[in-house]
Coordinates of all heavy atoms in Angstrom, one line a residue:
F34 N 23.1 39.2 3.0 CA 22.3 40.4 3.4 C 21.6 40.1 4.7 O 21.3 38.9 5.0 CB 21.3 40.7 2.3 CG 20.1 39.8 2.2 CD1 18.9 40.2 2.8 CD2 20.2 38.6 1.6 CE1 17.8 39.4 2.7 CE2 19.1 37.8 1.6 CZ 17.9 38.1 2.1
K35 N 21.3 41.1 5.4 CA 20.5 41.0 6.6 C 19.0 41.4 6.4 O 18.1 40.8 6.8 CB 21.1 41.8 7.8 CG 22.4 41.2 8.3 CD 22.9 42.0 9.5 CE 24.2 41.4 10.0 NZ 24.8 42.2 11.1
T36 N 18.9 42.5 5.7 CA 17.6 43.1 5.3 C 17.8 43.5 3.8 O 18.9 43.6 3.2 CB 17.2 44.3 6.1 OG1 18.1 45.4 5.7 CG2 17.3 44.0 7.6
T37 N 16.6 43.7 3.2 CA 16.6 44.1 1.8 C 17.3 45.5 1.5 O 17.6 45.8 0.4 CB 15.2 44.2 1.2 OG1 14.4 45.0 2.1 CG2 14.6 42.8 1.1
Q38 N 17.6 46.2 2.6 CA 18.3 47.5 2.5 C 19.7 47.2 2.0 O 20.3 48.1 1.4 CB 18.2 48.2 3.8 CG 18.7 49.7 3.7 CD 18.5 50.4 5.0 OE1 18.1 49.8 6.0 NE2 18.6 51.7 5.0
D39 N 20.2 46.0 2.3 CA 21.6 45.7 1.9 C 21.7 45.3 0.5 O 22.8 45.1 -0.1 CB 22.1 44.6 2.8 CG 22.1 44.9 4.3 OD1 22.2 46.1 4.6 OD2 21.8 44.0 5.1
L40 N 20.5 45.1 -0.2 CA 20.5 44.6 -1.6 C 20.6 45.7 -2.6 O 20.3 46.8 -2.3 CB 19.3 43.8 -1.8 CG 19.1 42.5 -0.9 CD1 17.7 41.9 -1.1 CD2 20.2 41.5 -1.3
E41 N 21.1 45.4 -3.8 CA 21.2 46.3 -4.9 C 19.9 46.3 -5.7 O 19.5 45.3 -6.3 CB 22.3 45.9 -5.8 CG 22.6 47.0 -6.9 CD 23.2 48.2 -6.3 OE1 23.9 48.2 -5.3 OE2 23.0 49.3 -7.0
P42 N 19.2 47.5 -5.7 CA 17.9 47.6 -6.4 C 18.1 47.4 -7.9 O 19.2 47.7 -8.4 CB 17.4 49.0 -6.1 CG 18.1 49.4 -4.9 CD 19.5 48.8 -5.0
S43 N 17.1 46.9 -8.6 CA 17.3 46.7 -10.1 C 15.9 46.9 -10.7 O 14.9 46.6 -10.2 CB 17.8 45.3 -10.4 OG 17.7 45.0 -11.8
D44 N 16.0 47.6 -12.0 CA 14.8 47.8 -12.8 C 14.6 46.8 -13.9 O 13.8 46.9 -14.7 CB 14.8 49.2 -13.4 CG 14.6 50.3 -12.3 OD1 13.8 50.1 -11.4 OD2 15.2 51.4 -12.5
A45 N 15.5 45.8 -13.8 CA 15.5 44.8 -14.9 C 14.2 44.0 -14.9 O 13.5 43.8 -13.9 CB 16.6 43.8 -14.8
I46 N 13.8 43.5 -16.1 CA 12.6 42.6 -16.2 C 13.0 41.3 -15.7 O 13.9 40.6 -16.2 CB 12.1 42.6 -17.7 CG1 11.7 43.9 -18.2 CG2 10.9 41.6 -17.8 CD1 11.2 44.0 -19.6
I47 N 12.3 40.8 -14.7 CA 12.6 39.6 -14.0 C 11.9 38.3 -14.6 O 10.7 38.3 -14.7 CB 12.3 39.7 -12.5 CG1 13.0 40.9 -11.9 CG2 12.7 38.4 -11.7 CD1 12.5 41.2 -10.5
G48 N 12.7 37.3 -14.9 CA 12.2 36.0 -15.2 C 11.5 36.0 -16.6 O 10.7 35.1 -16.8
Q49 N 11.7 36.9 -17.4 CA 11.0 37.0 -18.7 C 12.1 37.0 -19.9 O 12.0 37.9 -20.7 CB 10.1 38.2 -18.8 CG 9.1 38.3 -17.7 CD 8.0 37.3 -17.8 OE1 7.9 36.5 -18.8 NE2 7.2 37.1 -16.7
E50 N 13.0 36.1 -19.9 CA 14.0 36.1 -20.8 C 13.5 36.0 -22.3 O 14.0 36.7 -23.2 CB 15.0 34.9 -20.6 CG 15.8 35.0 -19.4 CD 15.1 34.7 -18.1 OE1 13.9 34.2 -18.2 OE2 15.6 34.9 -17.0
R51 N 12.5 35.2 -22.5 CA 11.9 35.1 -23.8 C 11.3 36.4 -24.3 O 11.5 36.9 -25.4 CB 10.8 34.0 -23.8 CG 10.2 33.7 -25.2 CD 9.0 32.8 -25.1 NE 9.3 31.6 -24.4 CZ 9.8 30.5 -25.0 NH1 10.0 30.5 -26.3 NH2 10.0 29.4 -24.3
A52 N 10.6 37.0 -23.4 CA 9.9 38.3 -23.7 C 11.0 39.4 -23.9 O 10.8 40.2 -24.8 CB 9.0 38.7 -22.5
V53 N 12.0 39.4 -23.1 CA 13.1 40.4 -23.3 C 13.8 40.3 -24.6 O 14.0 41.3 -25.3 CB 14.1 40.3 -22.1 CG1 15.4 41.2 -22.4 CG2 13.5 40.7 -20.8
S54 N 14.0 39.0 -25.0 CA 14.6 38.8 -26.3 C 13.7 39.3 -27.5 O 14.2 39.9 -28.4 CB 14.9 37.3 -26.5 OG 15.4 37.0 -27.8
S55 N 12.4 39.0 -27.4 CA 11.5 39.5 -28.4 C 11.4 41.0 -28.4 O 11.4 41.6 -29.5 CB 10.1 38.9 -28.1 OG 10.1 37.5 -28.1
L56 N 11.4 41.6 -27.2 CA 11.3 43.1 -27.2 C 12.6 43.7 -27.8 O 12.5 44.7 -28.6 CB 11.2 43.5 -25.7 CG 9.8 43.4 -25.1 CD1 9.9 43.7 -23.6 CD2 8.8 44.4 -25.7
D57 N 13.7 43.1 -27.5 CA 15.0 43.7 -28.0 C 15.0 43.6 -29.5 O 15.4 44.5 -30.2 CB 16.1 42.9 -27.4 CG 17.5 43.5 -27.7 OD1 17.6 44.7 -27.3 OD2 18.4 42.9 -28.2
F58 N 14.6 42.5 -30.0 CA 14.5 42.3 -31.5 C 13.5 43.3 -32.1 O 13.8 44.0 -33.1 CB 14.1 40.9 -31.9 CG 13.8 40.7 -33.3 CD1 14.7 40.7 -34.3 CD2 12.4 40.6 -33.7 CE1 14.4 40.6 -35.6 CE2 12.1 40.5 -35.0 CZ 13.0 40.5 -36.0
G59 N 12.3 43.4 -31.5 CA 11.3 44.2 -32.1 C 11.6 45.7 -32.1 O 11.2 46.4 -33.0
L60 N 12.4 46.1 -31.1 CA 12.7 47.6 -31.0 C 13.9 47.9 -31.9 O 14.0 49.1 -32.3 CB 13.0 47.9 -29.5 CG 11.9 47.7 -28.5 CD1 12.4 48.2 -27.1 CD2 10.7 48.5 -28.9
H61 N 14.7 46.9 -32.2 CA 15.9 47.2 -33.1 C 15.6 47.1 -34.6 O 16.2 47.8 -35.4 CB 17.0 46.3 -32.7 CG 17.8 46.7 -31.5 ND1 17.4 46.4 -30.2 CD2 18.9 47.5 -31.3 CE1 18.2 47.0 -29.3 NE2 19.1 47.6 -30.0
V62 N 14.7 46.1 -34.9 CA 14.5 45.8 -36.3 C 13.7 47.0 -37.0 O 12.8 47.5 -36.4 CB 13.8 44.5 -36.5 CG1 12.4 44.6 -36.0 CG2 13.8 44.1 -38.0
D63 N 14.1 47.3 -38.2 CA 13.4 48.3 -39.0 C 12.5 47.6 -40.1 O 12.8 46.5 -40.4 CB 14.3 49.3 -39.7 CG 15.1 50.1 -38.6 OD1 14.4 50.5 -37.6 OD2 16.3 50.4 -38.8
G64 N 11.6 48.3 -40.6 CA 10.8 47.8 -41.6 C 9.3 47.9 -41.3 O 8.9 48.0 -40.2
T65 N 8.5 47.8 -42.3 CA 7.0 48.0 -42.2 C 6.4 46.8 -41.5 O 6.8 45.6 -41.8 CB 6.4 48.1 -43.6 OG1 6.9 49.3 -44.2 CG2 4.9 48.4 -43.4
G66 N 5.6 47.0 -40.5 CA 4.9 45.9 -39.8 C 5.6 45.3 -38.6 O 5.0 44.5 -38.0
F67 N 6.8 45.8 -38.3 CA 7.5 45.2 -37.1 C 7.1 45.9 -35.9 O 8.0 46.4 -35.1 CB 9.0 45.2 -37.4 CG 9.5 44.1 -38.3 CD1 9.6 44.4 -39.6 CD2 9.7 42.9 -37.8 CE1 10.1 43.4 -40.5 CE2 10.1 41.8 -38.7 CZ 10.3 42.1 -40.0
N68 N 5.8 46.1 -35.7 CA 5.3 46.5 -34.4 C 5.2 45.3 -33.5 O 5.3 44.2 -33.9 CB 4.0 47.2 -34.6 CG 4.1 48.4 -35.5 OD1 4.7 49.4 -35.2 ND2 3.5 48.3 -36.7
L69 N 4.9 45.6 -32.2 CA 5.0 44.5 -31.2 C 3.7 44.3 -30.5 O 2.9 45.3 -30.3 CB 6.1 44.8 -30.1 CG 7.5 44.9 -30.6 CD1 7.9 46.3 -30.9 CD2 8.4 44.3 -29.5
Y70 N 3.4 43.0 -30.2 CA 2.3 42.7 -29.3 C 2.9 42.0 -28.1 O 3.5 40.9 -28.2 CB 1.3 41.8 -30.0 CG 0.0 41.6 -29.2 CD1 -1.1 42.3 -29.4 CD2 0.0 40.6 -28.1 CE1 -2.3 42.1 -28.6 CE2 -1.1 40.4 -27.4 CZ -2.3 41.2 -27.6 OH -3.4 41.0 -26.9
V71 N 2.7 42.6 -26.9 CA 3.2 42.0 -25.7 C 2.0 41.2 -25.0 O 1.0 41.8 -24.6 CB 3.7 43.1 -24.7 CG1 4.2 42.4 -23.4 CG2 4.9 43.8 -25.4
A72 N 2.1 39.9 -24.9 CA 1.0 39.1 -24.4 C 1.4 38.6 -23.0 O 2.5 38.2 -22.7 CB 0.8 37.9 -25.4
G73 N 0.4 38.6 -22.2 CA 0.5 38.1 -20.8 C -0.7 38.2 -20.0 O -1.6 39.0 -20.3
Q74 N -0.8 37.5 -18.9 CA -2.0 37.6 -18.1 C -1.9 38.9 -17.2 O -0.8 39.4 -17.0 CB -2.0 36.4 -17.1 CG -2.2 35.0 -17.8 CD -3.4 35.0 -18.6 OE1 -4.5 35.5 -18.2 NE2 -3.4 34.3 -19.7
P75 N -3.1 39.4 -16.8 CA -3.1 40.6 -16.0 C -2.4 40.4 -14.7 O -2.4 39.3 -14.1 CB -4.6 40.8 -15.8 CG -5.3 40.1 -16.9 CD -4.4 38.9 -17.1
G76 N -1.8 41.4 -14.2 CA -1.2 41.4 -12.8 C 0.2 41.0 -12.8 O 0.8 40.8 -11.7
I77 N 0.9 40.7 -13.9 CA 2.3 40.2 -13.9 C 3.2 41.4 -14.1 O 4.5 41.1 -14.3 CB 2.5 39.1 -14.9 CG1 2.2 39.5 -16.3 CG2 1.7 37.9 -14.5 CD1 2.5 38.5 -17.3
G78 N 2.7 42.6 -14.2 CA 3.6 43.8 -14.4 C 4.2 44.0 -15.7 O 5.2 44.6 -15.9
K79 N 3.5 43.5 -16.8 CA 4.0 43.6 -18.1 C 4.0 45.0 -18.6 O 5.0 45.4 -19.3 CB 3.3 42.7 -19.1 CG 1.8 42.9 -19.2 CD 1.2 41.8 -20.1 CE -0.3 42.0 -20.2 NZ -1.0 41.8 -18.9
M80 N 3.0 45.8 -18.3 CA 3.0 47.2 -18.8 C 4.1 48.0 -18.2 O 4.8 48.7 -18.9 CB 1.6 47.8 -18.4 CG 1.5 49.3 -18.7 SD 1.7 49.7 -20.5 CE 0.1 49.4 -21.1
S81 N 4.3 48.0 -16.9 CA 5.4 48.8 -16.3 C 6.7 48.3 -16.7 O 7.6 49.0 -16.9 CB 5.2 48.7 -14.7 OG 5.2 47.3 -14.3
A82 N 6.8 46.9 -16.9 CA 8.1 46.4 -17.3 C 8.4 46.8 -18.8 O 9.6 47.2 -19.1 CB 8.1 44.9 -17.3
V83 N 7.4 46.8 -19.6 CA 7.6 47.2 -21.0 C 8.0 48.7 -21.1 O 8.9 49.1 -21.8 CB 6.4 46.9 -21.9 CG1 6.4 47.6 -23.2 CG2 6.2 45.4 -22.1
V84 N 7.3 49.5 -20.3 CA 7.5 51.0 -20.4 C 9.0 51.2 -19.9 O 9.7 52.0 -20.5 CB 6.5 51.7 -19.4 CG1 6.9 53.2 -19.3 CG2 5.1 51.6 -20.0
A85 N 9.4 50.6 -18.8 CA 10.8 50.8 -18.3 C 11.8 50.3 -19.3 O 12.8 51.0 -19.6 CB 11.0 50.1 -17.0
F86 N 11.6 49.2 -20.0 CA 12.5 48.6 -20.9 C 12.6 49.6 -22.2 O 13.7 49.8 -22.7 CB 12.0 47.3 -21.4 CG 13.0 46.5 -22.3 CD1 14.0 45.8 -21.7 CD2 12.8 46.6 -23.6 CE1 14.9 45.1 -22.6 CE2 13.7 45.9 -24.5 CZ 14.7 45.2 -23.9
V87 N 11.5 50.0 -22.7 CA 11.5 50.9 -23.9 C 12.1 52.2 -23.6 O 12.9 52.8 -24.4 CB 10.0 51.1 -24.4 CG1 10.0 52.1 -25.5 CG2 9.4 49.7 -24.8
K88 N 11.9 52.8 -22.4 CA 12.5 54.1 -22.0 C 14.0 54.0 -22.0 O 14.7 54.9 -22.3 CB 11.9 54.6 -20.7 CG 10.5 55.1 -20.8 CD 10.0 55.7 -19.5 CE 8.6 56.4 -19.7 NZ 8.1 57.0 -18.4
Q89 N 14.5 52.8 -21.5 CA 15.9 52.7 -21.5 C 16.5 52.7 -22.9 O 17.6 53.4 -23.1 CB 16.3 51.3 -20.8 CG 16.1 51.3 -19.3 CD 16.4 50.0 -18.7 OE1 16.7 49.0 -19.4 NE2 16.3 49.9 -17.4
R90 N 15.9 52.1 -23.8 CA 16.4 52.1 -25.2 C 16.2 53.5 -25.8 O 17.0 54.0 -26.5 CB 15.7 51.0 -26.0 CG 15.9 51.2 -27.5 CD 15.5 50.0 -28.3 NE 15.4 50.3 -29.7 CZ 16.5 50.5 -30.5 NH1 17.7 50.3 -30.0 NH2 16.4 50.7 -31.8

Side-chain angles (χ1 to χ4, degrees):
F34 77 100
K35 292 183 178 179
T36 70
T37 53
Q38 192 172 10
D39 303 327
L40 298 170
E41 187 69 27
S43 173
D44 288 325
I46 299 178
I47 304 173
Q49 305 291 351
E50 290 78 9
R51 185 191 303 273
V53 169
S54 175
S55 300
L56 284 170
D57 190 57
F58 167 74
L60 297 182
H61 279 84
V62 68
D63 294 323
T65 304
F67 283 94
N68 300 293
L69 296 94
Y70 188 98
V71 179
Q74 296 300 324
I77 60 176
K79 57 185 180 297
M80 174 61 85
S81 56
V83 167
V84 172
F86 186 87
V87 174
K88 283 185 176 180
Q89 287 178 358
R90 169 170 166 74

